Amino acid sequence: YTPAELATLPPKARVRPSESLQPEQVQAMLCALETEPIDIRTMITLFITTGCRRGEIMGLKWEKVDFETGQIKIDRCLHYLPNRGIFEGDTKTGNTRFIVLPKEAVTLLRKYWAWQIERRLLAGDQWQDTGYVFTRADGTAQNPNTANWVLNTFCDRHGFERVHPHIFRHTFASILLSNGIDVLTVSKTLGHADTSTTLDTYGHVIEDAKRRAAVCISETIFDRKKA
């Protein structure tokens, strides 16, 4: 007999609804990025177009980039702890996923790859070939917190309100769901453990999409019937 069997479990905590940018805000940022150095432009563009977590972008290696198919493989994450420094580990859910990039992001990533090769040649013997896409001047891994600094300074230069890299993950998901991409696909792309996380986090977006679907049916069927 186990007394705990009679216990009433607390209700599952609901995930707080996500905040995201509007498409026009993202477009304004993309326009501003055209004036930025290619390393900054590439980093922020990947945040916008992949929905990846900060550590996943900072932990991305060139061997996980497939230029032919336009995909990146996300299976590792870069972390930082004061008592341990920078280290590589599993993604938050331990899952592996492949993300197809927009052609504009692939083109930019190719240019950045060529730029990094030139940088490597200039560094000579000082360069450490770690394989990371985003590195320090000597080729070593960057602290994941660098992404926050890059984004903050970018926003300050162009008069945008400061945002956390994670807001692009929410924006990415909201755009997909608002445009009819199914929840399972969005969940897999984001690397959620299951679709319930996606439903809890982006339920408000899904409800908006349902209402638009109802309006679409009304306009397509009933309005034409009246005509």
Side-chain angles (χ1 to χ4, degrees):
Y1 170 73
T2 305
E5 292 178 352
L6 301 176
T8 301
L9 296 176
K12 181 181 177 182
R14 301 289 291 180
V15 179
R16 184 176 59 183
S18 62
E19 295 182 0
S20 60
L21 300 173
Q22 295 300 311
E24 54 269 22
Q25 292 176 291
V26 179
Q27 291 166 359
M29 286 186 170
L30 288 173
C31 288
L33 281 171
E34 293 180 3
T35 65
E36 292 290 326
I38 192 166
D39 53 339
I40 293 176
R41 183 182 178 189
T42 304
M43 181 186 293
I44 297 178
T45 297
L46 285 184
F47 276 119
I48 292 173
T49 58
T50 65
C52 286
R53 301 177 179 91
R54 181 185 66 176
E56 294 171 344
I57 290 294
M58 302 306 289
L60 181 64
K61 291 188 174 182
W62 287 113
E63 64 187 31
K64 307 297 176 65
V65 178
D66 189 334
F67 286 114
E68 295 302 316
T69 61
Q71 293 186 107
I72 57 174
K73 180 181 180 181
I74 303 298
D75 61 351
R76 303 295 286 168
C77 190
L78 212 59
H79 307 275
Y80 171 78
L81 292 174
N83 61 342
R84 186 174 175 182
I86 301 169
F87 63 98
E88 189 177 290
D90 293 332
T91 59
K92 186 175 180 180
T93 57
N95 295 330
T96 296
R97 66 189 193 277
F98 294 86
I99 299 175
V100 179
L101 302 174
K103 63 180 185 301
E104 294 84 356
V106 175
T107 299
L108 179 60
L109 201 53
R110 281 185 181 274
K111 292 179 180 178
Y112 173 71
W113 177 69
W115 175 84
Q116 194 185 80
I117 290 177
E118 294 179 359
R119 192 182 185 192
R120 184 188 312 171
L121 293 174
L122 290 173
D125 295 339
Q126 301 298 315
W127 184 268
Q128 299 182 45
D129 192 10
T130 61
Y132 287 108
V133 173
F134 299 106
T135 68
R136 294 180 173 134
D138 62 355
T140 56
Q142 290 186 350
N143 187 319
N145 292 326
T146 301
N148 296 65
W149 178 84
V150 167
L151 186 55
N152 283 339
T153 55
F154 164 74
C155 289
D156 291 345
R157 279 194 298 274
H158 296 278
F160 299 124
E161 182 179 350
R162 285 189 174 189
V163 294
H164 189 278
H166 209 75
I167 199 170
F168 294 120
R169 179 172 170 82
H170 294 319
T171 303
F172 175 86
S174 296
I175 290 174
L176 293 184
L177 292 168
S178 296
N179 285 276
I181 304 302
D182 63 275
V183 174
L184 180 59
T185 298
V186 174
S187 181
K188 294 293 185 184
T189 303
L190 293 175
H192 285 162
D194 51 59
T195 55
S196 64
T197 302
T198 312
L199 290 168
D200 285 345
T201 308
Y202 304 104
H204 60 296
V205 180
I206 296 170
E207 289 303 315
D208 287 343
K210 288 180 180 178
R211 282 190 285 271
R212 287 197 300 274
V215 172
C216 177
I217 290 295
S218 176
E219 293 176 346
T220 303
I221 298 177
F222 292 103
D223 288 354
R224 289 185 180 180
K225 182 179 178 181
K226 293 176 183 177

